[in-house]
Amino acid sequence: EAQVTQNPRYLITVTGKKLTVTCSQNMNHEYMSWYRQDPGLGLRQIYYSMNVEVTDKGDVPEGYKVSRKEKRNFPLILESPSPNQTSLYFCASSLGQGYNEQFFGPGTRLTVL
Amino acid sequence: QKEVEQNSGPLSVPEGAIASLNCTYSDRGSQSFWYRQYSGKSPELIMSIYSNGDKEDGRFTAQLNKASQYVSLLIRDSQPSDSATYLCAVKEGGYQKVTFGTGTKLQVIP
């Protein structure tokens, strides 16, 4: 089944404790992206990647890191999480090469205390 | 920075009616997308539209006017199962960023 998977689905952590949210897709998509969704603010792009080893900042990259060492994986790293990073996070992927219809993962609900 | 504007709603329509959702954006957009998001779920693509004019898929019709920076979604014969938040997204030509609006909540009343 073609899908985007994220882990964990739910995470409660404390300020300053490094964490990684994994994202994997099995559709051989070139483009992958991370979003956060907050009430009243909608979906905001954190980082995106056009292909392996090619990443770029979205609209709200502060406090986040990403890497794209393999085509299928695009982990989101929070080196020192803070309470303002409490949010619902979505990973998405698309074919690229002009086809930008994105497929979303199930989401990760993160709470930073 | 591109802005994508949507009326937050809620937009309430009776079952069987046509629901009309609108979206405007501030910069040149080459591709537009409509996603549906049920509460607590991830967005799912309904339609993409790349060229000016209309695009129909079942009960859904998207309309794009690049000169006016406007895209709309019509849902015919609305069903209670259509009740969700509808997200408009726009991609600017030559760039890889996709900007989302904050969404319009649609309620279809049985």
Side-chain angles (χ1 to χ4, degrees):
Chain A
E1 178 189 358
Q3 60 183 350
V4 179
T5 57
Q6 293 179 230
N7 282 292
R9 294 288 313 281
Y10 303 90
L11 179 60
I12 300 174
T13 189
V14 296
T15 298
K17 186 176 181 180
K18 181 180 178 180
L19 66 92
T20 299
V21 184
T22 64
C23 173
S24 184
Q25 51 90 8
N26 62 1
M27 296 171 280
N28 201 35
H29 283 174
E30 289 190 351
Y31 183 93
M32 298 185 74
S33 182
W34 276 103
Y35 296 88
R36 61 178 290 175
Q37 188 172 40
D38 302 289
L41 297 177
L43 275 168
R44 294 180 293 167
Q45 193 171 45
I46 302 171
Y47 270 94
Y48 63 92
S49 169
M50 292 170 58
N51 214 323
V52 175
E53 302 291 2
V54 181
T55 63
D56 208 347
K57 297 177 181 179
D59 295 317
V60 289
E62 293 77 20
Y64 304 95
K65 287 177 57 178
V66 294
S67 68
R68 187 93 180 270
K69 292 182 169 51
E70 304 168 283
K71 196 171 187 178
R72 64 184 295 126
N73 296 323
F74 190 44
L76 179 69
I77 303 158
L78 285 72
E79 294 267 1
S80 183
S82 62
N84 64 13
Q85 293 178 298
T86 293
S87 188
L88 178 59
Y89 291 85
F90 288 105
C91 180
S93 72
S94 65
L95 190 60
Q97 300 294 330
Y99 296 92
N100 298 294
E101 290 78 359
Q102 295 188 74
F103 296 87
F104 283 80
T108 295
R109 187 165 292 282
L110 172 65
T111 301
V112 183
L113 301 175
Chain B
Q1 180 173 326
K2 180 184 295 296
E3 297 285 338
V4 178
E5 301 285 342
Q6 294 182 256
N7 188 318
S8 62
L11 172 67
S12 294
V13 300
E15 183 174 355
I18 296 175
S20 178
L21 305 165
N22 303 314
C23 173
T24 58
Y25 52 93
S26 61
D27 273 326
R28 293 174 302 137
S30 65
Q31 300 171 351
S32 299
F33 309 88
W34 284 100
Y35 290 83
R36 177 176 62 199
Q37 186 175 26
Y38 293 111
S39 181
K41 301 295 185 181
S42 57
E44 55 180 333
L45 181 72
I46 299 175
M47 291 189 69
S48 61
I49 182 166
Y50 291 11
S51 303
N52 282 326
D54 296 357
K55 180 180 179 182
E56 186 174 319
D57 184 0
R59 295 187 296 113
F60 300 96
T61 299
Q63 299 174 320
L64 176 62
N65 184 324
K66 292 186 181 182
S68 300
Q69 297 172 332
Y70 172 87
V71 59
S72 66
L73 180 70
L74 297 177
I75 306 175
R76 290 181 299 280
D77 188 23
S78 296
Q79 301 297 309
S81 58
D82 294 327
S83 297
T85 297
Y86 289 79
L87 305 173
C88 171
V90 177
K91 176 187 174 301
E92 186 174 352
Y95 295 89
Q96 295 304 317
K97 282 179 52 179
V98 176
T99 302
F100 282 79
T102 54
T104 298
K105 186 172 184 178
L106 173 67
Q107 295 177 338
V108 180
I109 311 301

